[in-house]
Each structure stands twice: as C-alpha cells, then as structure tokens.
Amino acid sequence: MKFHVLLVAFWCLAVARPGFALAAGEGDASGEPAQILQAAESDFPAREMDLPQDWSAGGNESEAPGKDETQPVMASEPVSSEDSDQTPDLDPRAYHDLVREDDADFNDAEDFTNGELAMIKVADPIEPFNRAMFWVNDKLYFYLFKPIARSYRVVPEPARQSVSNFFSNLGTPVRFINSVLQLKFQDAGTELGRLVVNSTVGIGGLFDPAEKWFDLERKQEDFGQTLGHYGVGSGFYIVWPILGPSNARDTVGMAADFFMDPLLYFKMKPLERGGLRGLDKTTDLSLDKDSYEGLKRQSLDPYLDMRNFYHQFREGRIEQ
Amino acid sequence: MKSRICLILVLVSIFCGVGMAGAALPGPTEQLRGTIDRIIETLRDRSLPRDEMLSRVSVLVRSKFDFWAMSQRTLAVNWNRATPEQRQRFVALFSQLLEDTYRERIGSYTYQNEYVKYISEKVEGTRGEVHTIVVANNEIPVTYRVRLKGQEWLVYDVVVEEVSLISNYRSTYNEIVRREGMDGLLKRMEQRIRELQAANKKGSAQ
C-alpha cells in the first residue's frame, strides 16, 4: 500500500488503481460568471441546515434509536444495505466546515466553480450494451478471475513479480515498435536496452535490473497510443467481455499489437498461447491490491467512473 | 535627549520588525508541511488504537482541506444551479464520503518509512500550488492546490501524477446530475456512505 493514500488521505481512487496512473492534464476554463457564488454565500441559512443535530453523542458509531427522529426523512429510496432506514451518520466536523464559510471577516469572492475545470466527455452511443458487458465482466471478476487470483496468492509475491516481469519482457516488441512509429527514438533505445539487460543479467526477464541498476524505466506504448499520437480520436467507448474497457481506436490498436506478440511466432498451439496469456493476466491480478473493489465501494456509479478513468488514463498515456 | 531619541528609534524599529514578521504569513508549503508531519507522526504511532488514530488523522485533514471549495469545483456548473440547501447537503455528504472512503483504506495500512519531499511552491494572489514527491516504493508526484482563506492556506484539490482527483469526481457526478437531478445525486451519495459505514463498522468490529 502506498503512502500517499494517506497523505492524500481521501483521494484513494487514483491511488487504488496503480495501473491507471492517470496523466491527463486539466483543460481550460469554461468561463462561468462568478457573481452567483458571492450572492449565494451571504444568504446561506447555515444554522438551519438539515443535518442531524446529535453531534455530541458519540460521533460516527452512535446508533441511539431516538436519533432517527431528529434526522430528516431521506430513506424513501430503494436501498440494499441492512441499516437502510437511517440517514448516514455525518461527521459533525462537516458542519463546522460549513459554518466556517460564514466567517464575518472572510470575504473571498473567488468562484471555484470556474477556472481550469475540465469535464471528461466520452462518446458512448452504445451505453446499454456497454453496461451489460460491464455487468458481465463484474460477475466474471468476482466469481471467476478473482478467486483464481486469490488462490494464486499462495505463491510468494517476489515469485509472482518475476512471472509478471517475464511477460513484461516479452511485451518489448510492442513497446519498441510503437516507440519507433511515434519517432520516439530515445524511448525505443530504452526499450532495447531493457530487453538486452533483462534478458541476460535479469535471467530471461525474470528480474528487472535495467530499472534497478541502470535507471531504464519501461515505456508504456501500444498501437492505440501510436494512433492517438497522430491525432486519431478515441471514437466511441466500448466494453469488451473479458478484455474490459476500450474504445474504437484502442480496439484497432489491440488487434495490431496482437501481431507484435512474440508468442505468436513460436510454434505453439492457440490453446497454449491462451493459457500463457491467462497466466500473465492472473499474475497481474494477484499483484493488484483489490483496486477494483476499492473503486466499486466508493463509487456512485462504477460504470461511469470506469469510463472516465479509462479515458483519462489513455489520454494521459498518449500525451506522454 | 539624544540617547532617548535613539532608544525610541531602536524600539520603533524593533516593533516594526516584529510587526512585519508577524504580518508575513507562513507560505503554503510551510503550513502544509506542519500538518503533513503531524499526520505522519500519527500514522507512525503504533500505540494508538485504530479508531483513535483514524479520528486524529481526520481532524488534521479536515483542518487543512477546504471542502466547500472542493464541492464547488466538483459540481461546477451544477453548483450554480443548486439551491443553497442542496449545496450544504452536498458539502456535508461529499466530505463524509471522502472521509469514509479513506477510513476504509487506512485500516489495512502500516507505515513503512515513506516520506515527503517538498519540491517547490507557486503562489499567485490567493491561490497557490505546492509540489511534492511522495517517496514510497517509487516516487509519486503529488501537487496540492491551495487557496488563501484568511490566514490559512487550504487545500482545494490534489493532483496525483498529473491528474486532478477532483476532476474525476466532477465527470461522474455531473453525469449523474444530468440524468437524475441534484436530488438523485444526493440520494446516491447517502446510500454509498451508508454502505461504507456499514462495512467500516464490520471491519472495526473484527
């Protein structure tokens, strides 16, 4: 678990998805007028807000039965949670945050609703299909892939890391060719150097001395990024069964990368190749720290979050 | 007489100096560093029971984060369209949702000598950025966007590896508002908080 989970305290989402080390910058302002806020702030009835009054009684854990009566009736929505009949406990300090806004000497007319606010817009014309596939993948994840990965965790982590390194080393052609296609010759050189070092000193790719000793970091490139680099738009969002989130551009990219996979050129039955791919994915899943579970638990709509993440993640990669 | 004037001059200059030193606010990095150091200290302290540790961290975080500004940035256009009651409800729910999320994550965490490098800061009027690098297994660039409110620099956004985390929330939340309205969003948030709290209670009971 990385430390900035804590420092960034609340912003666990991005952290929880190390693969999604997002790199999308924020766009430009969308120019909303700033006066509304100022007007609104001054006439906030902060002391009449409909929060539970029972701040002092034991904080979050308090479940005094009488408390429900002082709380607003908000429970008419369908809920699946067991204690669905009560409004969630709100931290009293949330209330103080609001009150603080009424500081008499605080006269900050700044409007935080505008300025460098980028909205992620993803074309999703086949949303019903995508949502269905998202549902299928979700079930596959929890009832098939995750249990397999969990039992695989009996293998010590360093060993699994080596398996992961091995497959990553096999992915060098994809990254090398796409670096060249994007005329990133330095990156291509890095990838070549990594291949040489890790295949020899790193015993056939099981270890990663290239990064540890020579500071040669892996460059994430694939054909979808190459297309994006030359200005091809992402097209529409699509969720593939098993393969997961993608879009029109990256689907073409995946197909192209398929032919850069060295395993394809070994004498191997398709089933064997598939098995190795499965091992690769299972290894990565076993090394992952339950990031999908994390996303799901806190997300208001996991489908939308995943869609936005995927988009930002890919755009960020392309920009690099 | 002369010596008295001298004395007055000296005193005045001392007072001026003191006054000016008092007027010079500690910069955002300095302010943030204080809080972050205390958070690290709390995390390090293994003698603290988990609940105590969590609530101390929570107090520290809440003292430095401007949930009001964060809510505005998250809702963007829809903030302006919302009624005052909806806005207040949103700020309360949003900060609670963030807190419960973090409670859930922090539970399994143990401190492993991670630390923070403070790289640089940028201040423009009442806004600023503090650039840091969190050194764990690898180095993660984390930028805090801060605003000056009264005497305090408060965080209103955190940028991890070039991505503003508020912008993630923004995209999803506004999509939900577009489909289900502001009240629909608030209901979803309440539901999510309930589930997180139920899970956390189970976790701390174990």
Side-chain angles (χ1 to χ4, degrees), chain A residues 6 10-11 22 24 40 77 89 91 93 106 108 110 112 117 127 294 297 299-300 305 312, chain B residues 58 73 87 96 98 104-105 109 127 147 149 161-163 165 168 170 172 179 188 192 194 197:
Chain A
L6 309 164
F10 298 136
W11 283 267
L22 312 174
E77 77 274 22
D89 301 335
D91 194 299
R93 287 178 299 258
F106 174 66
D108 186 352
E110 274 182 294
F112 284 86
L117 293 189
E127 188 177 329
R297 261 197 295 275
S299 172
L300 300 189
D305 273 343
Q312 282 206 42
Chain B
S58 156
R73 285 174 62 80
R87 290 179 186 177
Q96 189 66 48
L98 295 170
E104 197 245 328
R105 301 231 159 231
Y109 168 82
R127 305 248 184 137
R147 60 172 304 205
K149 187 164 139 186
E161 307 212 34
E162 307 299 310
V163 173
L165 293 160
N168 287 336
R170 178 158 54 237
T172 299
R179 293 175 192 199
R188 272 180 187 251
R192 186 47 69 209
R194 257 198 304 273
Q197 289 183 346

Side-chain angles (χ1 to χ4, degrees), chain A residues 25-279:
Chain A
E26 295 225 305
D28 285 309
S30 54
E32 276 282 316
Q35 319 90 311
I36 308 166
L37 171 72
Q38 178 61 12
E41 263 189 9
S42 53
D43 52 38
F44 268 124
R47 273 149 212 102
E48 297 158 22
M49 43 188 298
D50 57 343
L51 295 175
Q53 307 293 307
D54 201 8
W55 302 124
S56 53
N60 279 357
E61 306 298 321
S62 87
E63 269 192 312
K67 197 175 160 187
D68 286 346
E69 293 152 25
T70 63
Q71 293 179 356
V73 185
M74 292 283 206
S76 52
E77 77 274 22
V79 276
S80 57
S81 153
E82 302 131 279
D83 45 359
S84 56
D85 55 329
Q86 68 180 86
T87 313
D89 301 335
L90 295 184
D91 194 299
R93 287 178 299 258
Y95 176 75
H96 291 304
D97 283 327
L98 307 183
V99 172
R100 193 162 62 188
E101 210 64 30
D102 287 339
D103 288 355
D105 58 335
F106 174 66
N107 193 19
D108 186 352
E110 274 182 294
D111 183 352
F112 284 86
T113 58
N114 83 23
E116 18 140 23
L117 293 189
M119 202 80 88
I120 305 161
K121 290 211 176 68
V122 185
D124 194 2
I126 52 168
E127 188 177 329
F129 169 82
N130 283 341
R131 277 193 186 268
M133 284 307 118
F134 185 81
W135 183 86
V136 168
N137 287 340
D138 182 86
K139 296 291 171 255
L140 281 174
Y141 178 88
F142 282 109
Y143 295 107
L144 183 62
F145 299 133
K146 195 66 197 200
I148 293 173
R150 207 175 285 133
S151 35
Y152 183 30
R153 279 182 189 162
V154 297
V155 179
E157 189 175 325
R160 281 180 285 131
Q161 188 60 57
S162 278
V163 175
S164 173
N165 289 344
F166 175 79
F167 283 111
S168 165
N169 201 39
L170 282 183
T172 305
V174 172
R175 297 190 297 270
F176 174 78
I177 293 170
N178 284 299
S179 295
V180 171
L181 288 176
Q182 294 173 47
L183 310 179
K184 294 175 178 169
F185 296 115
Q186 203 177 343
D187 291 0
T190 302
E191 278 301 324
L192 209 56
R194 283 178 53 83
L195 180 71
V196 170
V197 173
N198 286 346
S199 300
T200 54
V201 188
I203 317 177
L206 291 179
F207 302 94
D208 192 355
E211 186 177 337
K212 235 179 220 156
W213 300 342
F214 299 96
D215 230 14
L216 294 173
E217 266 183 57
R218 186 169 57 164
K219 305 292 171 191
Q220 293 293 354
E221 295 294 350
D222 56 46
F223 197 67
Q225 291 178 59
T226 300
L227 292 174
H229 180 75
Y230 289 108
V232 178
S234 59
F236 57 91
Y237 183 64
I238 180 162
V239 181
W240 292 106
I242 301 174
L243 298 177
S246 186
N247 56 40
R249 179 193 60 210
D250 293 339
T251 300
V252 174
M254 265 193 294
D257 290 335
F258 176 78
F259 292 101
M260 302 179 206
D261 178 5
L263 288 181
L264 196 66
Y265 302 99
F266 284 107
K267 273 205 168 8
M268 213 185 277
K269 295 195 186 96
L271 201 66
E272 291 167 342
R273 202 166 56 236
L276 282 176
R277 274 281 147 264
L279 178 62

